[in-house]
Amino acid sequence: APEEIEELMVAFARNTRQLIDDHNGSIVLSSVLEFAEVHREEVFQVILESMDVAPIPKHWYPSFLIDKLIINRQILDSLRDGKNRLLAALLRNDNLARIYS
């Protein structure tokens, strides 16, 4: 039922901080970004905040979600000032160099 799916998406979005550090959790969050437009902002904000982690762990699962946002521009464009906020987070504190080194 659609109501049950929406309840599940709400639960996933509310638990983004817990899910983002796990491989399977990032796959779930990828679905939230793609299919639950009303919850994208909540997930996006946690992605932006997670970029400041230092050092970047060997298996850093938010990178999968960042790739999804870059590849699927519709998602990034649907977020309030999404491109500029993502770019600012990537450039902040040499995050881009740390993420992709």
Side-chain angles (χ1 to χ4, degrees), residues 11-94:
F12 290 153
R14 285 184 182 157
N15 290 290
T16 298
R17 290 186 197 290
Q18 179 180 353
L19 293 169
I20 202 165
D21 291 328
D22 178 76
H23 174 74
N24 293 323
S26 1
I27 292 170
V28 166
L29 292 174
S30 174
S31 294
V32 174
L33 285 173
E34 189 163 346
F35 300 112
E37 189 169 345
V38 296
H39 303 293
R40 286 178 181 166
E41 184 64 38
E42 190 171 356
V43 174
F44 185 59
Q45 186 58 43
V46 175
I47 293 169
L48 296 178
E49 292 167 5
S50 72
M51 287 189 210
D52 292 326
V53 171
I56 297 290
K58 181 178 180 182
H59 298 291
W60 189 68
Y61 299 111
S63 63
F64 169 73
L65 299 171
I66 294 166
D67 288 346
K68 181 167 193 85
L69 290 168
I70 292 169
I71 292 168
N72 189 337
R73 282 293 171 93
Q74 285 184 309
I75 295 172
L76 192 57
D77 290 343
S78 75
L79 296 160
R80 179 186 48 81
D81 202 25
K83 288 181 206 173
N84 290 331
R85 289 167 58 207
L86 180 60
L87 180 61
L90 286 168
L91 296 176
R92 183 176 60 230
N93 302 325
D94 294 322

